[in-house]
Amino acid sequence: MTTKPLAAGFAAAAALALTLSTGAHAQQAAAPQVTHGAAITGVCVMSVDGAIGASTVGQYVQTRLQQIATQVEAELKAEETAITTEAQTLETQQATLGQDAFETRRAALQVRVNAFQRKAAQRERELAMTQQKALARVGQEMEPLIRDVYQQRQCSMLVNRDALLLANPQMDVTQPLVTALNAKITQFAFDRERLDQPAAGAQTR
């Protein structure tokens, strides 16, 4: 089994799993019953994103990412509120300020607005990088487990279940992967990646 291309796609698949796993489970629960043909010997199907979404570590990553996003939102909201308040104050004082004083304060406020916009864009990039690195870590933990399940189930071919319309559930080896991943890791520490710090200060995992 070739695993390198699969590993390269972990982050994108996992991001989709963390976003849509709940909805996917609901859709599957409501799906009509289907009569399948005989399972094909040696052909296995697996949903990598489904396994991440169902795993303990995948759910932990989703929760931790939401916590970090909430912290960022609170930080930006406080600064945005301060800028809005200053803008409203300046507007009410415009009639009593001299033109030069008003223009000076308005220019200074615009500098703050521009800096805030740059910070917000940076935080967005940091959150994306944080998600990418966290999901890459999950993918790193999963990769050898996929090989183990492939060999234990004596698969001759492993097909991505998410690329199939239907498949015999007897060929599905996703749950053994979830079980193996839960036994291996349930969580790991990570914080928001910071683009304003040198690479040497990056957290070692």
Side-chain angles (χ1 to χ4, degrees):
M1 180 177 69
T2 302
T3 58
K4 185 175 181 180
L6 180 62
F10 270 132
L16 179 64
L18 295 179
T19 304
L20 303 179
S21 59
T22 302
H25 290 319
Q27 292 176 358
Q28 290 174 3
Q33 294 294 322
V34 175
T35 300
H36 298 277
I40 304 174
T41 302
V43 177
C44 302
V45 299
M46 174 185 290
S47 173
V48 173
D49 58 348
I52 294 176
S55 69
T56 301
V57 69
Q59 293 168 8
Y60 163 78
V61 167
Q62 182 181 32
T63 299
R64 180 62 182 139
L65 287 173
Q66 183 58 54
Q67 291 173 346
I68 294 173
T70 299
Q71 293 168 357
V72 169
E73 182 180 4
E75 173 196 355
L76 294 177
K77 185 63 177 178
E79 187 167 348
E80 181 184 27
T81 299
I83 291 175
T84 300
T85 300
E86 182 176 343
Q88 292 171 343
T89 300
L90 181 60
E91 183 178 359
T92 61
Q93 295 176 347
Q94 181 176 2
T96 59
L97 288 173
Q99 185 64 26
D100 289 344
F102 173 77
E103 292 297 337
T104 298
R105 289 181 57 181
R106 186 172 67 173
L109 180 60
Q110 187 60 53
V111 170
R112 287 188 63 187
V113 170
N114 294 342
F116 173 76
Q117 291 174 338
R118 289 193 299 270
K119 177 186 285 189
Q122 178 174 303
R123 292 294 181 266
E124 184 176 357
R125 294 193 301 271
E126 289 173 343
L127 288 175
M129 184 182 298
T130 302
Q131 181 186 57
Q132 181 182 18
K133 289 193 174 184
L135 295 177
R137 167 65 185 275
V138 178
Q140 179 183 0
E141 300 289 348
M142 286 181 64
E143 190 165 353
L145 301 180
I146 293 176
R147 291 196 297 269
D148 291 344
V149 171
Y150 178 88
Q151 293 172 341
Q152 291 167 2
R153 295 304 176 103
Q154 298 182 336
C155 302
S156 300
M157 177 187 298
L158 183 59
V159 181
N160 180 7
R161 190 185 74 189
D162 303 306
L164 301 175
L165 293 176
L166 292 170
N168 190 317
Q170 296 179 13
M171 299 159 55
D172 196 314
V173 296
T174 303
Q175 187 53 49
L177 176 60
V178 174
T179 300
L181 185 58
N182 286 345
K184 183 179 183 182
I185 186 172
T186 58
Q187 65 181 49
F188 56 92
F190 67 93
D191 292 311
R192 189 185 87 228
E193 297 294 325
R194 298 178 184 271
L195 295 175
D196 53 358
Q197 293 182 353
Q203 179 181 2
T204 301
R205 295 186 178 87

